[in-house]
Amino acid sequence: MTITMGWRSRWLLPVLALGVVLQLAACGDSEADQRKAFMTVLQSVPSQPGSVPPALSDDQKKRLGPFANDYAILTTFSQQLRQSMAVSLKPLLEHVSQIRVPQDYLTQRDGVRSAVGAINLLGQQVQAAKTQADSAGRNLSQPQEIQVLYERVYSQVVSQPASALANVVPTAATLAQQLAQVGDFLQAQGKQVTFVGNQVQFETAQQAARYNALITPLATQQRDLMNGLQPLLPLLKPSL
């Protein structure tokens, strides 16, 4: 009986060894497929600053395996950025677009003033989201071919928009404050100011000079803001 068991065990060993090899091969193929799927997803992100990374389907998350967590760093930052901009920059731009004649400085004054606080808060929110993304990114361990591609996409989705917003926030705040000052000035004149169509009339030359001094910087400030927003335009578009 002992000899028979030994004979059987000698034949079973190669079979067991073969099973181990097959399991290792299967694991290797799965990881290779995950890398390929992840690179395909990264390549689908538009190649421009402020790109919005497409959301993953449940099937894509399964195919990416652990790389889905790497991709989540990008989508989380992008979502946080869009949400913050939706309650700060978007309202300001909407108020600015409604100012067509001098009287509009009055009607849009309160909305513009409320946007100042939201815009100042935007800078803090973006910095916090960037710090969180950078911290998560430093802990990643990726194959070389993925790391190169991922860093490029990370720059487009995280680094460049964060840098652009750091410049836009003070520009937007300055414009909002200036617009509010024009509205405050017109409000303070009471009945000494008259609105006729797209014209405004004052009773004294001093009032007119002060009004002109207040509105003169607006064109430059608005142009600077729109130029600064160029890398962020994809993030200002409505979510699908």
Side-chain angles (χ1 to χ4, degrees), residues 12 59 65 86 205 224:
L12 286 173
D59 180 63
D224 291 343

Side-chain angles (χ1 to χ4, degrees), residues 156-171:
Q156 296 167 189
V157 174
V158 179
S159 302
Q160 294 182 52
S163 178
L165 267 174
N167 295 323
V168 162
V169 166
T171 303

Side-chain angles (χ1 to χ4, degrees), residues 1 6 12 49-50 106 121 132 145-146 153 158 164 167 170 191 198 206 210:
M1 178 64 67
L12 286 173
L106 280 173
L121 183 60
Q132 181 182 13
E145 68 273 17
I146 288 181
V153 177
V158 179
N167 295 323
K191 295 182 179 180
N198 61 352
Q206 291 81 0
R210 176 57 180 162

Side-chain angles (χ1 to χ4, degrees), residues 52 82 90 233-240:
V52 178
R82 299 186 80 179
K90 275 189 175 182
L233 292 182
L235 293 163
L236 288 168
K237 295 179 181 178
S239 301
L240 299 177

Side-chain angles (χ1 to χ4, degrees), residues 178 181-182 185 206-218:
Q178 189 72 16
Q181 286 181 13
V182 177
F185 172 76
Q206 291 81 0
Q207 290 172 315
R210 176 57 180 162
Y211 173 76
N212 288 331
L214 287 172
I215 66 171
T216 296
L218 291 176

